[in-house]
Amino acid sequence: MNTTTNAGLNEAPETNMPVDPGPFDCMPELLAAAKVAPVVRIPYLGEHAWVVCDPELVKVALTHPQMGKDVTLVPDFMRRPGLMVGSQPDPDYARAMIMSDGENHARIRRMHAPVLSPRNTERWGERVAVKVDGFLDELERSAPGTGAEVNVVTDYTHRIPLAFISEMLGLPPQAQRQLRGITDIMLYSSDYPARKEAVGALYGAVEGWVRAPEPLDEGVITGLLASSGGADAAVTEGEVIVWTLGMIITGYETTGSLISASLYEALRRPPEERPRTDDEIRAWVEETLRVHPPFPHPTWRFPLTDIDLGGYLIPKGAPVQVSIAAANREPDEGADCFAKDRQGKGHLSFGLGTHYCIGAPLVRLETKIAVGGFLRRFPQARLSTTTAVEWESEWMIRRLSVLPATLL
């Protein structure tokens, strides 16, 4: 039963979501919580967070002018070591794109736009294709006609965006293993002291590359550094560090998750039901984005004033999430609702409005190349009949950790 506030609005009812990471699939619990009410509250860090679940209200929340995202709005109780939102630097040092608003946000997007231009995206796609072919060659050599089983996640899907983002940034080869170990702990460990240490390690690694760039190849970091010197510098050294961190997290982890989920939906079906043409693969990836958003709840918002959202009160300053997982589905759809003919129509996995994901075209292209390459090289591959598929997640991030397949 809803409680009415003094303003005549409904108080969002309380429910639960899995806020600590673990070796489970969060999606059924997220969808169950979303059925409680259009807007719910969940216990979070000893306080509450509000979650917008209704698809239409999610669209409103994503574009609401009073739903702030600036880092200065983060409440003290969320500035907890080991949480990314609580580890944001002082805004005088640098703001991240996803934790900024207004002119700050517009400026950061302008600085990123040349890197992710259509021309550059096409060029990046050519580099992704080279890496995909190389990793597929390795897979083929690892199980030449033996029917050996591989974990597609560790042996293929997450290697591609990690190798690509490292090349894009201009990082030395040894950085890839370092980044994989750090980000796994930072995003998926339930050990918060370890997560705090991992956050510090990532900051430290990037800071080292930026302040001593001699080992770096030409790439995004050196390009940004070229704009950071002199009295008329377009960016600061701190911004180069913070923006590089953002590109690593969004450019690696989420893309790897999307590739894995796309192949999961293919491998669990017979070969004749899998996508073949470029258009079919493109539509398949969109449907995967709808059903398996890498961020089921994406990034925080903080109301600048009390907000009436569908008759529910969201108080000023309250931490707010939007349920992309629920918004992407029809009311009667459950966790397992992949339908290739749906083609992902209407999904919000890249957001909406001014904070729409600037890297969406590149993520789509990487995934299409990786999925298409695998299915063409191993058209008879299938899920293991002896090893189970495994997920790891919490309420904001979700991925496959084990995707066991036999490369027939």
Side-chain angles (χ1 to χ4, degrees):
M1 179 180 296
N2 293 335
T3 302
T4 303
T5 69
N6 291 335
L9 300 176
N10 292 319
E11 182 179 69
E14 184 174 309
T15 188
N16 287 289
M17 292 183 184
V19 297
D20 289 315
F24 57 85
D25 181 5
C26 67
M27 190 60 73
E29 291 182 76
L30 300 188
L31 297 179
K35 292 183 182 299
V36 171
V39 179
V40 298
R41 290 179 303 141
I42 66 166
Y44 187 61
L45 302 180
E47 301 282 346
H48 281 93
W50 276 249
V51 183
V52 184
C53 304
D54 175 81
E56 293 307 313
L57 293 183
V58 164
K59 294 175 186 177
V60 173
L62 288 171
T63 57
H64 201 295
Q66 296 299 309
M67 282 285 193
K69 287 181 62 63
D70 195 84
V71 64
T72 58
L73 301 173
V74 178
D76 288 342
F77 82 88
M78 292 180 65
R79 298 182 183 275
R80 174 175 173 175
L83 293 180
M84 284 300 293
V85 71
S87 304
Q88 296 294 314
D90 187 289
D92 290 337
Y93 178 74
R95 281 176 165 87
M97 189 186 301
I98 63 171
M99 297 297 293
S100 58
D101 277 324
E103 179 50 37
N104 288 318
H105 179 252
R107 172 180 167 267
I108 297 170
R109 285 184 79 95
R110 285 196 301 270
M111 296 302 299
H112 282 73
V115 175
L116 298 167
S117 67
R119 181 177 180 181
N120 264 350
T121 296
E122 182 178 352
R123 179 165 64 90
W124 297 132
E126 294 170 358
R127 296 303 305 152
V128 171
V130 170
K131 296 187 182 304
V132 164
D133 284 342
F135 290 136
L136 289 172
D137 289 344
E138 289 185 32
L139 278 178
E140 204 162 29
R141 288 193 297 268
S142 72
T146 65
E149 191 173 290
V150 299
N151 179 359
V152 179
V153 173
T154 54
D155 293 340
Y156 181 66
T157 62
H158 272 64
R159 296 182 69 189
I160 297 162
L162 181 56
F164 169 67
I165 196 66
S166 297
E167 179 179 312
M168 182 181 178
L169 293 171
L171 301 182
Q174 64 270 23
Q176 292 184 35
R177 180 172 304 202
Q178 183 181 11
L179 290 180
R180 178 67 194 262
I182 290 173
T183 55
D184 275 0
I185 294 171
M186 190 173 70
L187 295 173
Y188 291 101
S189 174
S190 58
D191 182 339
Y192 282 89
R195 290 174 72 164
K196 176 185 176 182
E197 185 176 335
V199 170
L202 183 58
Y203 269 88
V206 174
E207 184 179 53
W209 295 323
V210 170
R211 292 186 173 171
E214 293 78 15
L216 301 183
D217 293 328
E218 183 178 347
V220 172
I221 294 177
T222 58
L224 287 172
L225 285 173
S227 301
S228 68
D232 298 324
V235 300
T236 67
E237 183 182 83
E239 287 176 329
V240 178
I241 293 169
V242 171
W243 297 354
T244 299
L245 288 165
M247 283 185 272
I248 289 171
I249 297 299
T250 58
Y252 157 50
E253 176 57 42
T254 57
T255 306
S257 297
L258 179 59
I259 298 169
S260 298
S262 298
L263 285 176
Y264 164 70
E265 291 293 355
L267 293 172
R268 66 195 294 225
R269 289 167 168 78
E272 62 271 17
E273 294 182 14
R274 300 171 187 172
R276 290 183 172 83
T277 68
D278 283 348
D279 284 344
E280 289 174 346
I281 292 168
R282 190 176 296 109
W284 193 275
V285 170
E286 292 303 310
E287 180 64 0
T288 305
L289 279 162
R290 184 182 78 86
V291 177
H292 300 292
F295 284 130
H297 297 90
T299 55
W300 292 101
R301 285 163 168 78
F302 306 95
L304 304 180
T305 185
D306 287 354
I307 291 178
D308 173 356
L309 202 63
Y312 289 87
L313 171 67
I314 301 185
K316 177 182 177 180
V320 178
Q321 281 286 352
V322 292
S323 180
I324 298 300
N328 282 355
R329 288 169 163 80
E330 300 296 336
D332 59 341
E333 288 186 316
D336 187 7
C337 63
F338 188 97
K340 64 177 182 179
D341 293 338
R342 173 78 181 260
Q343 300 183 19
K345 184 179 178 181
H347 78 73
L348 298 171
S349 295
F350 287 122
L352 199 64
T354 57
H355 278 275
Y356 184 86
C357 177
I358 193 173
L362 182 56
V363 172
R364 286 180 162 116
L365 182 60
E366 275 189 82
T367 306
K368 183 179 76 69
I369 293 169
V371 171
F374 184 95
L375 294 179
R376 289 169 185 140
R377 183 74 68 97
F378 304 111
Q380 300 301 314
R382 57 173 173 77
L383 287 183
S384 169
T385 57
T386 57
T387 305
V389 169
E390 295 180 16
W391 296 86
E392 55 186 348
S393 57
E394 36 120 285
W395 65 312
M396 288 192 289
I397 194 164
R398 173 180 182 260
R399 73 173 179 183
L400 283 155
S401 57
V402 178
L403 181 59
T406 302
L407 306 180
L408 300 174

